[in-house]
Amino acid sequence: MDKYQLLKQYFGYDSFREGQEYLIDSILEGRDVLGIMPTGAGKSICYQLPALLMREAGAEDSGEMSEDAPCGHGADEKPGKMRKGAVTLVISPLISLMKDQVEGLNQAGIHAAYLNSSLTPGQYRKALFLAKEGRYPIIYVAPERLVASEFLDFAQNANIAMVAVDEAHCVSQWGQDFRPGYLKIINFIDTLPVRPVVAAFTATATKEVKEDIIDLLALQNPAMITTGFDRKNLYFGVQSVKDRYGAVKNYLECHPGDAGIIYCLTRKNVEEVCERLAGEGFPVTRYHAGLSDEERKGNQEDFIYDKKPVMVATNAFGMGIDKSNVRFVLHFGMPKNLESYYQEAGRAGRDGQPAECILLYSGKDVTTNQFFIENNQDNQELDAGLRQLVMERDRERLRKMTFYCFTNECLRDYILRYFGEYRENYCGNCSNCLSQFENTDVTEIAKSLVGCVESCRQRYGINVILDTVHGANTAKIRSYRMDENPFYGGCAKVPSPRLRQVLNHLLIHHYLAMTDDEYAVVKLTEKSEDILRGGEAVVMKLAKEQPHPAKGESRKSGRKKISYGASGTGSGSGELSPAQEALFERLRTLRTEIARGEKVPPYIIFSDRTLVHMCMLKPGTKAEMLKVSGVGEYKYEKYGERFLDCIRKSGSVEA
Ligand code: ADP
Ligand code: ZN
């Protein structure tokens, strides 16, 4: 079988996505590769498919197709080519990820196993025994196992054609996910009788991390591809609302049955929000570091298996969650930096279907995060100088995060620029691109703010400046004698949020600046003069006042707006009709039933994307069903008839 046939047969897809084919071909030529692709881009197939092809090539070469072929190989053989009983080892940092991947492969009819600490000694021995027998073309293994003698014994005698390193950035100490075990990969590869192809994959694209991966995994002249950081299927939104709980509740009401995550800044928030939502009958569960191991594990499973599809959690939740049908990520509070935000929001829409990431902002979030930064336990071991530096960097990152909540430019563009990618500044799929703005002259407000900073001799922080121009009568203002400042009360009629917006605009555009120390004092810049005396007009794009959406009405989104095509944005976009929506619900229910029976997460049976495609094509026969993206031969045999049945029945209901 060639690669296209395999792609269709096992995975049910007709075409490759950006970057996949190049990496697969390079691996098959025996070349190392480095794939830098965002979450959901389809990295797994880049090593799973060649793993199968190498296996087949080897079996054909030796004149047998048996999976249990003995593994003999000579030292002069080229790796990756025509080797018998070829095995691919996939090194992965997280037990839950491995489990998910292996379940997915088994569902697609591919033998795979994992070796990690979640297995009992008996299970481990059995898996290793079957591995030695040559049963598995693909074996997932935790980095720590690479030094265990039993495993090394197996590896020495197996025909390891490829070592695929998933989440390869874990080898680098630059990122937050450094795993010491990853440094041992290179030693392990060196002990093998024949050097396998080494294929590394990550979604982290910074220069330092990339260089570390190449060096520390000793990639040899790797074929590289970077498909960029953008997640086109994600909608980004920011809402500054008074009643955040109300906004969350309204969102859930508008998206019944959808799986999603609600991130909160504190454990207390998690408990409050979860309890209230549960009290109102929403299918929610919770997760934070203060819960018992048992509760965390149980709640996580409830979420993954769609028993409780809405998870309320702190940032402790999510590492290793491979759930592909997360349709929304709401932030009940602003995270401390854009790295965290993009990582957390990025857990939505891994299946490539439209999903929404909405940040509900409140001014208090800045203070909460400042507190986290000042009291970060991780920094306690650093010497004073370094600690200062780290804190300054964190404050700067918090500021950029805050500006995200205030910018009127394209949100996606803002994020991508932060990560060093430059695009057009209109994406058409974020709350700013979709809002109507009008140009508003805010010169007078700007003059008051800058004037206030100047006249107080650049000694105070944001809140004092805002309170002063707003004319607040507080003890603090009086004690600083800011009530005697010439700008005191100069903008008494301007609502506070608007004042803050203008001040942020001045900071973003460098008419004012802030010091990096803990006092975060507002300072003048070279450009301040332009406003104070240069007569420069300050014009801001401000959202037009929009009537509040009525209850039950929200942005149309989610699976309704489906995009279809190999890249996820290609041709065939359209919305599901109400009848198709109803069919989707029935198919989703059927999927849940099957998943319960098989004890696997629903998205492992078929992705949301596949269900949507079924609703569009409405297959009536096996041949038609096999045209649905994500339906391979093996899955058809297992589930095809039941889904066909469901589609036929709903056809007759409609008629
Ligand atoms: P990553 O590891 O890059 O985050 P995955 O490998 O988990 O992404 O793939 C994300 C989703 O995209 C999975 O549901 C996968 O089956 C699907 N996918 C991968 N390749 C293709 C393709 N060529 N066509 C359609 N869907 C694909
Ligand atoms: Zn946009």
mmCIF file of all heavy atoms in Angstrom, residues 236 409-413 425-434, ligand 2:
data_model
loop_
_atom_site.group_PDB
_atom_site.id
_atom_site.type_symbol
_atom_site.label_atom_id
_atom_site.label_comp_id
_atom_site.label_asym_id
_atom_site.label_seq_id
_atom_site.Cartn_x
_atom_site.Cartn_y
_atom_site.Cartn_z
ATOM 1 N N PHE A 236 -11.099 34.048 18.663
ATOM 2 C CA PHE A 236 -10.636 34.689 19.897
ATOM 3 C C PHE A 236 -11.529 35.867 20.253
ATOM 4 O O PHE A 236 -11.882 36.656 19.367
ATOM 5 C CB PHE A 236 -9.191 35.178 19.741
ATOM 6 C CG PHE A 236 -8.214 34.035 19.708
ATOM 7 C CD1 PHE A 236 -7.754 33.527 18.507
ATOM 8 C CD2 PHE A 236 -7.797 33.436 20.889
ATOM 9 C CE1 PHE A 236 -6.887 32.443 18.476
ATOM 10 C CE2 PHE A 236 -6.938 32.356 20.875
ATOM 11 C CZ PHE A 236 -6.476 31.857 19.667
ATOM 12 N N GLU A 409 -7.034 46.190 17.936
ATOM 13 C CA GLU A 409 -6.558 45.552 16.712
ATOM 14 C C GLU A 409 -7.002 44.093 16.721
ATOM 15 O O GLU A 409 -7.534 43.596 17.706
ATOM 16 C CB GLU A 409 -5.020 45.614 16.662
ATOM 17 C CG GLU A 409 -4.425 46.982 16.907
ATOM 18 C CD GLU A 409 -4.733 47.951 15.773
ATOM 19 O OE1 GLU A 409 -4.761 47.479 14.625
ATOM 20 O OE2 GLU A 409 -4.977 49.137 16.048
ATOM 21 N N CYS A 410 -6.682 43.396 15.648
ATOM 22 C CA CYS A 410 -7.014 41.978 15.534
ATOM 23 C C CYS A 410 -6.326 41.195 16.666
ATOM 24 O O CYS A 410 -5.119 41.291 16.861
ATOM 25 C CB CYS A 410 -6.529 41.477 14.176
ATOM 26 S SG CYS A 410 -6.613 39.700 14.008
ATOM 27 N N LEU A 411 -7.104 40.427 17.408
ATOM 28 C CA LEU A 411 -6.558 39.700 18.557
ATOM 29 C C LEU A 411 -5.578 38.614 18.117
ATOM 30 O O LEU A 411 -4.546 38.378 18.743
ATOM 31 C CB LEU A 411 -7.685 39.065 19.369
ATOM 32 C CG LEU A 411 -8.604 40.045 20.089
ATOM 33 C CD1 LEU A 411 -9.771 39.295 20.730
ATOM 34 C CD2 LEU A 411 -7.845 40.840 21.144
ATOM 35 N N ARG A 412 -5.925 37.942 17.038
ATOM 36 C CA ARG A 412 -5.036 36.882 16.544
ATOM 37 C C ARG A 412 -3.693 37.496 16.140
ATOM 38 O O ARG A 412 -2.627 36.967 16.462
ATOM 39 C CB ARG A 412 -5.685 36.220 15.332
ATOM 40 C CG ARG A 412 -4.902 35.064 14.737
ATOM 41 C CD ARG A 412 -5.596 34.524 13.505
ATOM 42 N NE ARG A 412 -7.019 34.359 13.714
ATOM 43 C CZ ARG A 412 -7.564 33.294 14.321
ATOM 44 N NH1 ARG A 412 -6.811 32.308 14.706
ATOM 45 N NH2 ARG A 412 -8.854 33.227 14.500
ATOM 46 N N ASP A 413 -3.774 38.618 15.481
ATOM 47 C CA ASP A 413 -2.562 39.285 15.048
ATOM 48 C C ASP A 413 -1.715 39.681 16.262
ATOM 49 O O ASP A 413 -0.495 39.547 16.260
ATOM 50 C CB ASP A 413 -2.953 40.524 14.238
ATOM 51 C CG ASP A 413 -1.768 41.089 13.496
ATOM 52 O OD1 ASP A 413 -1.158 40.324 12.736
ATOM 53 O OD2 ASP A 413 -1.449 42.275 13.678
ATOM 54 N N ASN A 425 -3.265 42.276 9.497
ATOM 55 C CA ASN A 425 -3.881 42.527 10.790
ATOM 56 C C ASN A 425 -5.401 42.443 10.759
ATOM 57 O O ASN A 425 -6.093 43.144 11.471
ATOM 58 C CB ASN A 425 -3.418 43.860 11.372
ATOM 59 C CG ASN A 425 -3.469 44.922 10.323
ATOM 60 O OD1 ASN A 425 -4.166 44.749 9.317
ATOM 61 N ND2 ASN A 425 -2.753 46.014 10.531
ATOM 62 N N TYR A 426 -5.895 41.592 9.900
ATOM 63 C CA TYR A 426 -7.332 41.328 9.919
ATOM 64 C C TYR A 426 -7.543 39.838 9.733
ATOM 65 O O TYR A 426 -7.119 39.262 8.734
ATOM 66 C CB TYR A 426 -8.037 42.099 8.795
ATOM 67 C CG TYR A 426 -9.507 41.796 8.741
ATOM 68 C CD1 TYR A 426 -10.409 42.508 9.528
ATOM 69 C CD2 TYR A 426 -9.985 40.760 7.946
ATOM 70 C CE1 TYR A 426 -11.761 42.201 9.511
ATOM 71 C CE2 TYR A 426 -11.339 40.448 7.923
ATOM 72 C CZ TYR A 426 -12.214 41.183 8.714
ATOM 73 O OH TYR A 426 -13.544 40.875 8.704
ATOM 74 N N CYS A 427 -8.171 39.174 10.714
ATOM 75 C CA CYS A 427 -8.361 37.725 10.564
ATOM 76 C C CYS A 427 -9.818 37.380 10.302
ATOM 77 O O CYS A 427 -10.132 36.309 9.820
ATOM 78 C CB CYS A 427 -7.865 36.987 11.811
ATOM 79 S SG CYS A 427 -8.966 37.109 13.243
ATOM 80 N N GLY A 428 -10.717 38.301 10.653
ATOM 81 C CA GLY A 428 -12.129 38.039 10.426
ATOM 82 C C GLY A 428 -12.731 37.010 11.368
ATOM 83 O O GLY A 428 -13.864 36.607 11.205
ATOM 84 N N ASN A 429 -11.958 36.553 12.350
ATOM 85 C CA ASN A 429 -12.460 35.526 13.260
ATOM 86 C C ASN A 429 -12.039 35.820 14.695
ATOM 87 O O ASN A 429 -11.608 34.940 15.433
ATOM 88 C CB ASN A 429 -11.960 34.149 12.804
ATOM 89 C CG ASN A 429 -12.669 33.010 13.521
ATOM 90 O OD1 ASN A 429 -13.776 33.182 14.032
ATOM 91 N ND2 ASN A 429 -12.028 31.858 13.593
ATOM 92 N N CYS A 430 -12.126 37.105 15.070
ATOM 93 C CA CYS A 430 -11.891 37.463 16.476
ATOM 94 C C CYS A 430 -12.860 38.578 16.824
ATOM 95 O O CYS A 430 -13.459 39.185 15.933
ATOM 96 C CB CYS A 430 -10.438 37.888 16.706
ATOM 97 S SG CYS A 430 -10.043 39.541 16.135
ATOM 98 N N SER A 431 -13.012 38.843 18.119
ATOM 99 C CA SER A 431 -14.063 39.791 18.494
ATOM 100 C C SER A 431 -13.756 41.194 17.979
ATOM 101 O O SER A 431 -14.661 41.978 17.736
ATOM 102 C CB SER A 431 -14.298 39.781 20.004
ATOM 103 O OG SER A 431 -13.126 40.058 20.721
ATOM 104 N N ASN A 432 -12.488 41.515 17.807
ATOM 105 C CA ASN A 432 -12.186 42.846 17.281
ATOM 106 C C ASN A 432 -12.444 42.946 15.785
ATOM 107 O O ASN A 432 -13.014 43.926 15.316
ATOM 108 C CB ASN A 432 -10.742 43.237 17.591
ATOM 109 C CG ASN A 432 -10.582 43.635 19.043
ATOM 110 O OD1 ASN A 432 -11.576 43.807 19.752
ATOM 111 N ND2 ASN A 432 -9.356 43.769 19.500
ATOM 112 N N CYS A 433 -12.021 41.916 15.050
ATOM 113 C CA CYS A 433 -12.269 41.961 13.604
ATOM 114 C C CYS A 433 -13.762 41.963 13.312
ATOM 115 O O CYS A 433 -14.193 42.475 12.288
ATOM 116 C CB CYS A 433 -11.606 40.783 12.908
ATOM 117 S SG CYS A 433 -9.823 40.957 12.777
ATOM 118 N N LEU A 434 -14.555 41.384 14.202
ATOM 119 C CA LEU A 434 -15.983 41.281 13.931
ATOM 120 C C LEU A 434 -16.799 42.404 14.580
ATOM 121 O O LEU A 434 -17.999 42.474 14.407
ATOM 122 C CB LEU A 434 -16.507 39.919 14.385
ATOM 123 C CG LEU A 434 -15.914 38.737 13.616
ATOM 124 C CD1 LEU A 434 -16.365 37.416 14.202
ATOM 125 C CD2 LEU A 434 -16.277 38.816 12.142
HETATM 126 ZN ZN ZN B 2 -8.905 39.265 14.073
#
